[in-house]
Amino acid sequence: MNEEQRERFERNIRLQGVGEGGQERLGAARVLVVGAGGLGSAACFYLAAAGVGTLGIVDGDTVALSNLNRQILHTTADLGRPKVESAAERLTALNPALRVEPYREWLTLERATELAAGYDLVVECSDTFETKFLVNAACVRSGTPLVWASVLAWEGQMSVMLPGEGPCYRCLFPTQPHLEGAPTSRQVGILGAAAGVMGALEAVEAVKVLLGAGSSLVGRLLVWDGWSGHFDEIAFAARPGCPACGEQG
């Protein structure tokens, strides 16, 4: 690293499990973030600030006024712009050395598998079960580690999937939930800071996986209730015959 990089990442370098070698690994890492909304905003900001060298960002949407209570990658001046464009602009302003690879598109399983295979890690930040199922399947197929999270109202949950080393998303949710009548963010709202908490935690888990440091959330569902201020953890195991990663997947 040069002197500017050492100064920029000084607090990272001092961390247990990082050091200069770890910082260089982060600089060489390629991370794909699916979704540049509330979760993706916080995850992308902290991954860029941590010195991850390349961020791929997938999002087919444009910035709307109702996004701005939580999607801090974007501003009022960005209304109507593709989210991947405003995200790239904001992130490179924070870290000019960052390489952003924008993908303004909606994923299919084939495309998600192709993209995941080109990255060291995927951070799933979408707001639909369909996308989470699709990205999980793509990561299982490509053998790419996955960090995922969900958030609604004052609550969030997250976990990590390492192919071949523990359960995947569909071991936890074997079938797509029937959401008819279930509350949505349009109905019950979403606290912007709640999305920020979960997105930041995704960045923490992503850095740990990239460095091989600490204890990841593989096989553990982290559940946060911001209303009560409680964190809980639920252990879950690989499911034989899981439709994604099991013998019949």
Side-chain angles (χ1 to χ4, degrees):
M1 291 185 293
N2 59 38
E3 289 307 310
E4 186 275 336
Q5 290 171 319
R6 286 190 177 89
E7 182 176 354
R8 176 182 289 269
F9 302 119
E10 177 190 7
R11 301 303 194 275
N12 266 19
I13 292 169
R14 292 179 181 274
L15 284 169
Q16 175 186 355
V18 184
E20 285 203 12
Q23 193 62 49
E24 289 172 352
R25 285 196 296 277
L26 291 177
R30 292 173 51 81
V31 176
L32 182 69
V33 179
V34 179
L39 292 168
S41 288
C44 283
F45 263 131
Y46 279 112
L47 290 170
V52 169
T54 302
L55 283 181
I57 304 176
V58 183
D59 199 307
D61 209 353
T62 57
V63 180
L65 190 60
S66 61
N67 299 152
L68 299 184
N69 83 310
R70 63 199 181 280
Q71 299 184 16
I72 57 175
L73 273 173
H74 320 294
T75 70
T76 304
D78 295 317
L79 293 177
R81 286 184 75 188
K83 290 182 180 179
V84 293
E85 289 185 8
S86 52
E89 184 177 287
R90 210 78 65 235
L91 294 169
T92 53
L94 172 65
N95 180 2
L98 173 70
R99 180 180 179 184
V100 177
E101 297 176 342
Y103 303 97
R104 187 187 177 189
E105 58 188 276
W106 304 108
L107 293 176
T108 63
L109 178 57
E110 292 71 21
R111 179 59 170 154
T113 304
E114 176 189 6
L115 286 176
Y119 288 84
D120 302 308
L121 174 78
V122 176
V123 181
E124 202 286 323
C125 299
S126 77
D127 59 1
T128 69
F129 276 107
E130 291 88 349
T131 303
K132 293 182 187 303
F133 273 49
L134 183 152
V135 172
N136 177 77
C139 288
V140 170
R141 286 186 176 189
S142 63
T144 308
L146 170 67
V147 178
W148 65 267
S150 301
V151 64
L152 182 68
W154 297 81
E155 303 173 353
Q157 56 183 282
M158 67 174 298
S159 189
V160 173
M161 187 271 289
L162 298 181
E165 297 185 27
C168 76
Y169 184 82
R170 289 197 68 178
C171 292
L172 186 63
F173 300 106
T175 59
Q176 189 168 309
H178 295 290
L179 299 180
E180 184 177 352
T184 67
S185 62
R186 288 181 180 273
Q187 297 170 317
V188 302
I190 179 171
L191 181 70
V197 167
M198 300 311 298
L201 286 172
E202 285 190 282
V204 171
E205 291 298 312
V207 168
K208 285 160 53 180
V209 171
L210 291 170
L211 294 176
S215 178
S216 76
L217 285 173
V218 174
R220 295 184 288 154
L221 178 68
L222 185 69
V223 181
W224 175 63
D225 184 341
W227 185 259
S228 66
H230 288 157
F231 279 96
D232 293 301
E233 187 179 292
I234 301 169
F236 66 104
R239 181 185 296 268
C242 168
C245 71
E247 294 178 354
Q248 299 176 7

